[in-house]
Amino acid sequence: MDDIKPYLINDEDADGRILTPLPLDSKSFQEKWLQELLYKHPSIIPIEQFDESFSPLISIGREIANIDNLFISPSGALCIVETKLWRNPDAHRTVVAQVLDYAQTLSTWDYAKLDNEVKKYSNTRFGKQKSIYEILKHETDIDIDEVEFHQRVQDSLVNGRFALLIIGDKISPAATQLADIIQSAPHLQFSLGFVELRC
């Protein structure tokens, strides 16, 4: 797959140019840009490769409980995303511990607290409070009862059933090895994965 060269085609005459990856030390973008990209385009994240029950991802906030990006699925499953760029030293050392800490915090919340934090975020971003359920209904055409949806999310919170994703322009092999060790613990219900998005 490394030999596939993506092209950006500009018009109907098929004019375009080959796209080349930015160098890993490039300062062309910051983590905040990557977070906003994921917020606006959650379909970039290949969540189906981890667990289809987390699909489709719906953005419900950024920096909620310090979580870079927080997503939910119509099944009430929550996805926590921590973004890290290769040039950031934390990308190699503390990122796994960081995302586990966020999961621990979220697992102490109930639906009402999560919904309240999402409302605060949406009020800051859009000037209008939106509940998790309102966001879900706006973003999908799925027909689900509100009470049932609340219960699904509550169950995910109680059970700590989250998808934890670390997304960056390059993933450290040391981080993936640490993740393998952590996930071997049978009592943990989260799924931990890595996504490499070369820009």
Side-chain angles (χ1 to χ4, degrees):
M1 297 288 284
D2 290 340
D3 58 344
I4 295 173
K5 295 182 171 41
Y7 279 80
L8 175 65
I9 307 302
N10 299 322
D11 55 37
E12 62 186 27
D13 294 328
D15 290 332
R17 63 186 171 89
I18 192 168
L19 298 177
T20 56
L22 290 170
L24 291 173
D25 60 355
S26 169
K27 299 216 166 80
S28 300
F29 62 93
Q30 304 297 321
E31 283 179 13
K32 286 193 181 297
W33 176 85
L34 181 56
Q35 293 161 15
E36 188 64 13
L37 176 71
L38 297 173
Y39 179 88
K40 290 181 175 175
H41 307 283
S43 61
I44 291 172
I45 303 169
I47 193 66
E48 298 84 1
Q49 294 183 24
F50 296 98
D51 187 334
E52 288 187 359
S53 68
F54 288 89
S55 178
L57 290 177
I58 314 277
S59 296
I60 58 172
R62 288 182 48 202
E63 298 300 333
I64 290 175
N66 294 318
I67 298 167
D68 288 344
N69 289 81
L70 187 58
F71 303 92
I72 200 161
S73 75
S75 66
L78 291 156
C79 177
I80 297 170
V81 169
E82 176 66 14
T83 59
K84 279 289 179 264
L85 299 180
W86 183 256
R87 67 177 185 262
N88 182 337
D90 285 344
H92 314 288
R93 292 196 293 268
T94 62
V95 66
V96 174
Q98 207 171 0
V99 77
L100 288 171
D101 189 48
Y102 297 152
Q104 175 62 33
T105 298
L106 212 56
S107 70
T108 65
W109 289 13
D110 61 11
Y111 182 89
K113 176 153 180 63
L114 177 62
D115 198 42
N116 188 51
E117 292 300 316
V118 170
K119 285 177 182 175
K120 285 197 274 190
Y121 173 80
S122 63
N123 190 51
T124 301
R125 185 174 179 111
F126 304 110
K128 179 184 176 187
Q129 286 192 359
K130 294 181 184 178
S131 69
I132 299 170
Y133 187 72
E134 287 172 325
I135 294 169
L136 177 80
K137 292 296 282 181
H138 181 264
E139 294 294 326
T140 67
D141 57 1
I142 194 162
D143 188 22
I144 182 172
D145 177 75
E146 188 170 2
V147 173
E148 182 186 347
F149 177 71
H150 285 199
Q151 190 57 53
R152 288 181 183 183
V153 178
Q154 183 64 42
D155 290 346
S156 292
L157 290 166
V158 168
N159 296 320
R161 190 175 166 274
F162 309 128
L164 311 179
L165 298 183
I166 296 164
I167 300 180
D169 52 348
K170 185 168 174 60
I171 299 300
S172 165
T176 60
Q177 290 168 356
L178 178 57
D180 288 341
I181 294 168
I182 291 167
Q183 288 199 126
S184 66
H187 64 284
L188 301 176
Q189 295 191 31
F190 62 81
S191 299
L192 180 60
F194 297 83
V195 178
E196 195 168 276
L197 288 180
R198 296 301 302 272
C199 297

